Amino acid sequence: MALLEILVYPDKRLRERAKPVEVFDDELKQLVKDMAETMYDAPGIGLAAIQVDVPKRVIVMDLSEERNDLKVFINPEIEAIEGKQEYEEGCLSVPGVFATVERIERVRIKALNVEGEPFEIEADGLLSVCIQHEVDHLDGKVFVDYLSRLKQDRVRKKMLKEIKESQAA
Amino acid sequence: MAKPNLQLVAAHTLRDVIDQGRSLDRTLESEAQRLGAEQRPSLHEIAYGGLRFYSYFDGLLAQLIAKPIRRKDRMVHFLLIVGLYQLKHMRTPDHAAVNQTVKALAASKQSWAKGLVNGVLRQFLREMEKDNLASLDAHLTAAQRIAFPTFFYGCIRDAWLEESEKIFESSNQKPPLTLRVNQQKTTRADYLKLLAAKNIDALPTEESKLGVLVTQPRPVTELPMFSEGWVSVQDESAQLCAPLLALEHGMRVLDGCAAPGGKTCAMLEAEPSLKMTAVDLPERVLGIEQNLNRLGLEAEIRDMGLEEYSDWWDKHPWDRILMDVPCSGSGVIRRHPDIRHRRQPGDLERFAGQQFDLLETAWGLLADNGLLLYVTCSLFPQENDGVIERFLSNHSDAKFLPVASAGGISTRYGRQRLPGVHAGDGFYYSLLSKAGAA
């Protein structure tokens, strides 16, 4: 068990496109465990492997208040069903920044579990927002990309300043 | 994705209402966007409860904190209020409430206050354990103990000294869910049977003949035949308005401050042949239409203030007018916990002036021998008998009639229901009749 380091925006490694998982072995299970632990500690409700510098298509999520409902999505694919929704998102790779992003309201998710078995679910509300946010990560996208140029610049400067300060300290 | 922080959003909500005087409903609407659907019921509970008991916790905090929190660090103050509310009134486990509040500090970049918040919340837990807060309570003012701001506390005691304790107490309770049965679709007895069949505990209301009190409040979507229009949500005191107007077949009726249309619909359910006109401001009329549609009723809706009647009035006077005028809301504090914090000295005079003007406008639209029912959800005589007294002395063609069937306390010109003393919200009713041409 280990806490993994979360990459902080605008780290270039967050821009990488993650590769599908092909081998379902103990190493993958360990990665999922460590990612879950890292997410709970943050605290977050979702984490993509790319955020801990592992460019694989692996996502962990837990939306429950009790933090006892871990969901794992490997090689996920999202299909839009209907609608639009707005939600104020925050990201473990962009600490302290929250901004409203428009997403699809209802989606269908096809993915594999940690054993490599396929499953399919439909999602709306926060679950839908979160899975879209995490799948974006796998494609090298961060929620900040949806904001205006001006806001993106402001976020970038703010994060760089904080990284500098924490290194100085 | 980062976990949306419930405590932080709740603290923002409290700050917007307390420090910025915003309305709770509007604040909640925007703040709820920041949370997942799963967290919204908790936000609602903390925001309502936190405001209901704000003055009490504010008084406790002053004792638990050695040095007052600086103005620029007000978020720490509101996070503490959220933490205290969760510890005292919610089933949040102690350690979870403390940890979540401390985490919220980090999310709002106030980590410097971790020690302070930890210390205050743990001290509070010790005091609860020791004597259920009795030794802290002993140092509070009477207003703080009952969780009222000093100004509003004074207003209520000035108006109703003897009844004030009961009023305060009921104002701190969660409001009941009261329904009005649609007499065009069913009867109260039949609807009570329907509820019993669904294992929903309910009782008939005492004063209103159409009221049903649901013992355990629940979303209306869980009520049988709600979307079919068999029942509407309406407080018992509000239900007492329509029967006072002696409505008859085909009468022309004006509801001059109609939104959200509860009383408009109640009048139409009592007498569907009425020619009803419902007036209110553009931003408020949407609710009237929704209510009418669900109940299958019809009314002409005018989306402007009553004072602009000359734009559309066809010069046909109305036989009956209901004026449920904007007021301080002091009778519905339990439903709107922000009211006690938002009212300022001078508000009552301002409301009374507006109420008088609206009443004068409406009077000009009333037919000879017609009836006008003046209603407020206020407890203050300035907005009630005071307005009527001034009106009567200015209008020789107006005379007040006894309000026969609303229960409550008889006042000089009408009747007053008081929360905690009588069932339902605090309401005032005065019935005026217009003399015929000589």
Side-chain angles (χ1 to χ4, degrees), chain B residues 58-78:
Chain B
D58 190 42
L60 292 189
L61 273 185
Q63 296 177 60
L64 291 167
I65 296 178
K67 184 168 93 179
I69 293 174
R70 288 174 300 176
R71 194 79 201 161
K72 75 177 186 64
D73 297 324
R74 281 289 271 182
M75 276 309 289
V76 175
H77 168 81
F78 288 110

Side-chain angles (χ1 to χ4, degrees), chain B residues 377-388:
Chain B
C377 52
S378 169
L379 307 179
F380 300 130
Q382 295 97 310
E383 300 180 272
N384 298 339
D385 270 1
V387 171
I388 300 300

Side-chain angles (χ1 to χ4, degrees), chain A residues 43-46 65 87-88 90 134, chain B residues 1-4 34-36 39:
Chain A
I45 53 173
E65 273 305 312
Y87 186 82
E88 190 172 78
E134 302 309 336
Chain B
M1 198 160 116
K3 184 174 161 65
R34 303 171 60 190
L35 295 176
Q39 292 171 304

Side-chain angles (χ1 to χ4, degrees), chain A residues 16 31 103 134 147:
Chain A
E16 205 172 327
L31 172 67
R103 302 276 186 188
E134 302 309 336
L147 308 181

Side-chain angles (χ1 to χ4, degrees), chain B residues 354-397:
Chain B
Q354 190 188 6
Q355 287 151 356
F356 180 83
D357 292 346
L358 275 167
L359 184 52
E360 280 222 304
T361 303
W363 195 250
L365 309 177
L366 183 65
D368 290 346
N369 303 311
L371 292 179
L372 185 151
L373 181 64
Y374 175 89
V375 178
T376 72
C377 52
S378 169
L379 307 179
F380 300 130
Q382 295 97 310
E383 300 180 272
N384 298 339
D385 270 1
V387 171
I388 300 300
E389 181 161 275
R390 181 175 158 211
F391 184 78
L392 290 172
S393 66
N394 279 287
H395 294 268
S396 55
D397 60 346

Side-chain angles (χ1 to χ4, degrees), chain B residues 241 253-265 267 276-281 284-285 288 301-302 304-307 312 321-327 354-362 365 372-377 427:
Chain B
C241 295
V253 178
L254 172 67
D255 191 345
C257 309
K263 300 183 192 74
T264 319
C265 294
M267 289 189 277
M276 173 72 69
T277 303
V279 179
D280 217 314
L281 300 173
R284 308 192 65 205
V285 294
I288 308 179
I301 298 179
R302 296 288 177 183
M304 54 183 79
L306 185 66
E307 57 281 5
W312 52 268
I321 298 182
L322 173 63
M323 290 302 286
D324 179 11
V325 294
C327 71
Q354 190 188 6
Q355 287 151 356
F356 180 83
D357 292 346
L358 275 167
L359 184 52
E360 280 222 304
T361 303
L365 309 177
L372 185 151
L373 181 64
Y374 175 89
V375 178
T376 72
C377 52
F427 258 69

